[in-house]
Amino acid sequence: MMHKHMLFTVLPCIAALIALPAAAQDNLPKTAEAFEVDGHKAFVYAAPKRADGNPWLWYAPTLNGVSIVQRKLYFESLMQAGISIAGFDLGEVRGAPSSTAKFSLFYDDMVKRGWSPKPILLGQSRGGLMMLAWGMRNPDKVRAFVGIYPVCNLASWPLKNSKAATLADFGMPEAELVDKLNHFNPVDNLQGLLANKVPIFVVHGDSDVVVPYDDNTRLLKDRYQAGGGRITVKIIPGEGHKVSPSFFECSELVDFVLENIEK
């Protein structure tokens, strides 16, 4: 029997096999369906032919649109597989309970519109904090988590690099937030995701100085594995926090998403 940890070594790269003909590309949505939830903009790129269960990928950060759809490999691969892509623009939030509750309003609206009650979450950079914070509070609603150099550790980045936005989201002074950090920090609250057997895939550069690998993805990996969780990490040697094919043409990321869509 094939073991799960062998999947990436023995399966062909699904993404590498995808080459959409021009006619199929023409059928892909050029713009998102836009709507509002609680006064904030939401966006959905609906796959032309949805897979069974109406699966969707929830991307963050969503700021003036869903930027992941600009990545040709990801957008075309998911659309062809019948996976829709959506996002909700709350601005520069950092995973506080109040912003997580607003994300839940968006989630509820998506489910009412007919999409799966268990989306795949994809967090890029600070979007990792947004999605992991929502996931840790709603672990039974998460199909899987994907990270592109994600912030996983509230202590490692936002308090240092974006203190004002962090404190504004949590609505408390720094000393109080630091005192209560383990209550809010995703890497300190993985029990629900572990109990629900949520699989995780992350791609991260080992030279990232903005979101340091050791303080974020490595810590997430160590703790998730220690709890018996399934997590795969692809480390990009010598690369940091940047837009490059290593992070935005990652066939293993596509393979992981396709393996974990709702059947």
Side-chain angles (χ1 to χ4, degrees), residues 2 24 29 206 251:
M2 183 185 300
D206 64 2
S251 60

Side-chain angles (χ1 to χ4, degrees), residues 156-236:
S156 75
W157 183 76
L159 285 179
K160 178 176 66 175
N161 290 350
S162 61
K163 185 183 296 186
T166 302
L167 298 180
D169 189 26
F170 281 87
M172 61 182 66
E174 182 177 358
E176 183 180 357
L177 178 57
V178 171
D179 184 59
K180 298 178 178 178
L181 199 62
N182 65 346
H183 179 70
F184 301 119
N185 203 1
V187 291
D188 294 325
N189 294 276
L190 300 173
Q191 298 89 343
L193 294 171
L194 286 164
N196 283 272
K197 302 184 186 303
V198 175
I200 294 176
F201 174 87
V202 180
V203 57
H204 206 135
D206 64 2
S207 299
D208 195 329
V209 297
V210 179
V211 181
Y213 169 76
D214 284 344
D215 296 334
N216 288 274
T217 295
R218 183 174 181 176
L219 185 60
L220 174 67
K221 179 182 179 182
D222 289 348
R223 292 185 177 182
Y224 212 65
Q225 286 182 332
R230 181 161 70 94
I231 179 169
T232 299
V233 174
K234 181 177 181 181
I235 301 173
I236 308 300

Side-chain angles (χ1 to χ4, degrees), residues 2 13 18 27 32-33 40 74 79 139 159 171 178 196 213 219-220 235 239 243 248:
M2 183 185 300
C13 288
I18 294 174
N27 291 330
E33 175 191 353
H40 297 276
Y74 296 165
M79 289 291 111
L159 285 179
V178 171
N196 283 272
Y213 169 76
L219 185 60
L220 174 67
I235 301 173
E239 290 203 30
V243 176
F248 296 102

Side-chain angles (χ1 to χ4, degrees), residues 116-182:
S116 169
K118 296 188 74 170
I120 291 178
L121 311 182
L122 194 163
Q124 177 189 335
S125 189
R126 61 199 185 280
L129 187 59
M130 299 175 195
M131 290 289 87
L132 281 171
W134 189 85
M136 78 183 195
R137 296 184 178 108
N138 300 274
D140 59 322
K141 299 179 176 68
V142 181
R143 173 68 50 187
F145 173 78
V146 181
I148 299 174
Y149 39 67
V151 180
C152 312
N153 180 5
L154 186 60
S156 75
W157 183 76
L159 285 179
K160 178 176 66 175
N161 290 350
S162 61
K163 185 183 296 186
T166 302
L167 298 180
D169 189 26
F170 281 87
M172 61 182 66
E174 182 177 358
E176 183 180 357
L177 178 57
V178 171
D179 184 59
K180 298 178 178 178
L181 199 62
N182 65 346

